[in-house]
Amino acid sequence: MNDSALDIITAHARDGARLRETFFTEQAPVLRETALRIAACLAQGGKILLCGNGGSAADAQHLAAEFVNRFLVDRPALPALALTTDTSALTAIANDMDFSQVFSRQVEALGRKGDILVGISTSGNSPNVLAALEAARRIGMLTLGFTGRGGGRMAQLCHMLVDVANPSTPLIQEIHITAGHLLCQLTDYYLFENVAALAPYLHADTVNED
């Protein structure tokens, strides 16, 4: 019996490396702008809420922990909260209302104008993420989407969009967490090393409605 494991490994590594190089070359300006807006939000007392399903829920929790604890440098804790972790809230909302509202209800309770909601969905069409983004926009929050394949319905609800143009869900997720790590690093850079770059973003209404 032939064993194709080595070919599978090589193909995945090759495809991932190509996608990584293309994505970060093309999306560098988007990531820089996004990091500046996240840093400005935090500098002005705002917070970051994150949500997603499955692997994207894990990414939401992972990135929230990087902000709250630390990333690469010692610095003050930064306010971030994954909306995927409170099982009592999640099950109560899903049971009493609908699973599509498990994130939006929390956004309504915890979000404030000027905060940022990060919605993560590889398809861009997860109903509960879409509902959360809609709720965030009603409040006056900035919305950031991590998505793939053009962003689906999520694209039009996001002020900032990290879109991985690839059909493979695993590769999209791999780029998502790498992009998230970069945003953590760049946010720290703008908050604690290059504060001058934040000047145009502070005390300005950066939410541009369509």
Side-chain angles (χ1 to χ4, degrees):
M1 180 177 177
N2 292 328
D3 186 343
S4 300
L6 295 180
D7 292 336
I8 293 170
I9 292 168
T10 300
H12 183 85
R14 180 184 62 242
D15 293 345
R18 288 175 178 171
L19 177 60
R20 182 185 177 104
E21 181 175 3
T22 300
F23 175 83
F24 288 106
T25 298
E26 294 177 352
Q27 299 298 318
V30 173
L31 294 171
R32 177 184 181 275
E33 176 72 12
T34 300
L36 280 162
R37 297 178 85 168
I38 293 173
C41 164
L42 295 171
Q44 297 178 108
K47 62 183 174 294
I48 304 167
L49 304 179
L50 305 95
C51 64
N53 298 283
S56 297
D59 286 347
Q61 293 162 210
H62 181 156
L63 294 175
E66 302 287 19
F67 283 111
V68 171
N69 183 29
R70 66 189 294 276
F71 188 60
L72 294 177
V73 298
D74 290 326
R75 41 84 169 146
L78 300 173
L81 178 67
L83 304 180
T84 55
T85 58
D86 186 338
T87 55
S88 293
L90 292 169
T91 54
I93 297 165
N95 184 65
D96 296 346
M97 303 179 74
D98 187 81
F99 190 73
S100 66
Q101 304 302 309
V102 293
F103 300 139
S104 61
R105 192 69 169 169
Q106 294 184 77
V107 169
E108 291 169 3
L110 303 172
R112 299 292 181 268
K113 180 179 174 62
D115 289 347
I116 293 177
L117 174 68
V118 181
I120 309 174
S121 170
T122 58
S123 70
N125 293 315
S126 299
N128 53 13
V129 176
L130 293 171
L133 291 168
E134 290 169 350
R137 289 178 71 102
R138 287 195 298 270
I139 293 168
M141 296 172 64
L142 280 167
T143 52
L144 166 59
F146 280 73
T147 187
R149 311 182 188 97
R153 293 170 57 199
M154 197 165 85
Q156 61 187 325
L157 295 173
C158 294
H159 299 102
M160 304 162 284
L161 194 68
V162 176
D163 176 29
V164 184
N166 192 277
S168 168
T169 295
L171 290 180
I172 292 170
Q173 291 177 322
E174 289 174 23
I175 296 295
H176 279 179
I177 197 60
T178 306
H181 279 163
L182 269 174
L183 289 177
C184 290
Q185 183 175 359
L186 291 171
T187 298
D188 285 356
Y189 167 71
Y190 286 121
L191 283 175
F192 304 107
E193 296 182 49
N194 189 7
V195 179
L198 284 180
Y201 295 82
L202 298 175
H203 309 296
D205 185 1
T206 55
V207 178
N208 298 313
E209 297 293 346
D210 297 331

